[in-house]
Amino acid sequence: MTVARAATVQYENVQEIEHVYPLVRSHKQLDRVISEIEKAPGIVLYTLVDEEIAHRLEQKCRELGTPFVNILDPVFAVFQSYLNVTQTHRIGGQHAMDAEYFSRMEALNYTMMHDDGQIWDDLESADIVLLGISRTSKTPTCIYLANRGIKAANVPLVPGIPLPDNVKSLKNPMVVGLIASAERIQQIRRNRVLSLNSEGYNDQYVDRKEISQEINMTRRLCSEHQWPLIDVSRRSVEETAAEIMTLFKDYKAARENGVAEQQ
């Protein structure tokens, strides 16, 4: 359709009438298209991959004296020449939703449901659990991981509120702590307060001394449970996620080796 429009605008005083028939994959679907072409003949541009269906359309167009063009033919010719591979003729390949797609969607749904400690009782089903105080990029990092098919949950660390025992005793997921410099967190929190016009915020939220204590709390907690700790002060979300995925790869390998040794 885009190709047709791009070509049509090159001709003055031509008013095109478009008939679009997407996802034609069977002879029955093609019957309807051919019927429409018979009623309103014109130039036929198509991208059919199935050779039998494409041949039938071309034959009918010849009978009707209707010009036709397979838009993909020259593209396939260049690809085949350059790549030196055979075309697969896979129908609807660009629309395929494979297992990897569904894995990402499942991970994303899980991550959104378990953002900021919303659900605590099924964290064992997570691949990764991120811990951190406010403004340590837990949520965007989890979403990035979910888009890689990793079920990631995040749990906030709040001063004066103990971490639930079920989080401390997690066996399946890899738990990772996130920290940043006190200066960095203070800056982000101040910007957050200003952007929300949040006069009701506790002064301790942006107090550098209090923030330093929160960071030390995170360090002690991760040290006590031997959880890896990542400083995100000078890291983008992508860099943090890359480091976590590297740790996760080693974590899974160690667990698999441990199971193998036990057997």
Side-chain angles (χ1 to χ4, degrees), residues 1-2 6 15-16 74 119 122 131 138 163 171 219 261:
M1 185 168 64
T2 303
Q15 179 63 49
E16 78 279 8
I119 300 177
D122 68 338
L131 304 176
K138 298 186 298 298
L163 190 67
K171 302 297 183 184
R219 290 184 182 277
E261 289 173 2

Side-chain angles (χ1 to χ4, degrees), residues 157-175:
L157 298 178
V158 182
I161 300 178
L163 190 67
D165 290 336
N166 67 313
V167 177
K168 296 179 182 179
S169 60
L170 289 172
K171 302 297 183 184
N172 177 65
M174 180 181 74
V175 181

Side-chain angles (χ1 to χ4, degrees), residues 5-33:
R5 289 174 180 173
T8 303
V9 297
Q10 300 301 317
Y11 301 91
E12 295 181 357
N13 302 319
V14 172
Q15 179 63 49
E16 78 279 8
I17 300 175
E18 295 178 352
H19 300 272
V20 182
Y21 308 100
L23 302 176
V24 177
R25 300 179 180 178
S26 69
H27 285 282
K28 185 175 181 180
Q29 291 170 327
L30 183 62
D31 287 340
R32 183 175 68 88
V33 175

Side-chain angles (χ1 to χ4, degrees), residues 242-257:
E243 176 66 19
I244 292 171
M245 286 188 287
T246 298
L247 291 172
F248 186 53
K249 181 180 179 180
D250 295 339
Y251 178 79
K252 288 197 299 182
R255 283 177 60 87
E256 290 172 0
N257 290 336

Side-chain angles (χ1 to χ4, degrees), residues 97 99-111 146-147 149:
M97 293 187 292
E100 183 181 350
Y101 169 84
F102 287 108
S103 176
R104 292 199 306 271
M105 291 303 99
E106 181 184 358
L108 189 57
N109 288 335
Y110 181 91
T111 293
N147 277 292

Side-chain angles (χ1 to χ4, degrees), residues 10-199:
Q10 300 301 317
Y11 301 91
E12 295 181 357
N13 302 319
V14 172
Q15 179 63 49
E16 78 279 8
I17 300 175
E18 295 178 352
H19 300 272
V20 182
Y21 308 100
L23 302 176
V24 177
R25 300 179 180 178
S26 69
H27 285 282
K28 185 175 181 180
Q29 291 170 327
L30 183 62
D31 287 340
R32 183 175 68 88
V33 175
I34 289 176
S35 175
E36 293 294 327
I37 294 174
E38 289 174 336
K39 294 176 184 176
I43 300 173
V44 176
L45 304 181
Y46 70 92
T47 59
L48 296 170
V49 175
D50 186 292
E51 292 181 324
E52 185 178 343
I53 293 177
H55 177 72
R56 185 179 164 215
L57 174 64
E58 293 173 358
Q59 189 175 28
K60 191 63 180 179
C61 286
R62 291 190 185 97
E63 294 175 4
L64 297 172
T66 300
F68 59 88
V69 178
N70 184 343
I71 297 174
L72 292 178
D73 267 352
V75 180
F76 285 148
V78 172
F79 270 64
Q80 188 163 333
S81 174
Y82 183 78
L83 299 174
N84 194 28
V85 293
T86 303
Q87 181 187 340
T88 63
H89 296 284
R90 182 157 62 98
I91 300 172
Q94 74 273 33
H95 303 294
M97 293 187 292
D98 55 16
E100 183 181 350
Y101 169 84
F102 287 108
S103 176
R104 292 199 306 271
M105 291 303 99
E106 181 184 358
L108 189 57
N109 288 335
Y110 181 91
T111 293
M112 298 307 295
M113 290 175 61
H114 294 77
D115 181 42
D116 204 29
Q118 291 185 71
I119 300 177
W120 301 84
D121 56 4
D122 68 338
L123 289 178
E124 280 291 354
S125 60
D127 296 315
I128 295 173
V129 174
L130 301 185
L131 304 176
I133 61 176
S134 173
R135 303 297 109 190
T136 49
S137 301
K138 298 186 298 298
T139 294
T141 303
C142 280
I143 293 174
Y144 188 97
L145 293 170
N147 277 292
R148 296 297 184 273
I150 297 173
K151 292 195 293 184
N154 73 80
V155 176
L157 298 178
V158 182
I161 300 178
L163 190 67
D165 290 336
N166 67 313
V167 177
K168 296 179 182 179
S169 60
L170 289 172
K171 302 297 183 184
N172 177 65
M174 180 181 74
V175 181
V176 180
L178 301 182
I179 60 170
S181 67
E183 295 83 1
R184 176 63 175 163
I185 293 177
Q186 183 184 47
Q187 178 187 17
I188 296 174
R189 288 185 180 182
R190 280 178 174 170
N191 291 339
R192 175 72 171 174
V193 171
L194 290 173
S195 67
L196 296 176
N197 295 319
S198 303
E199 297 179 358

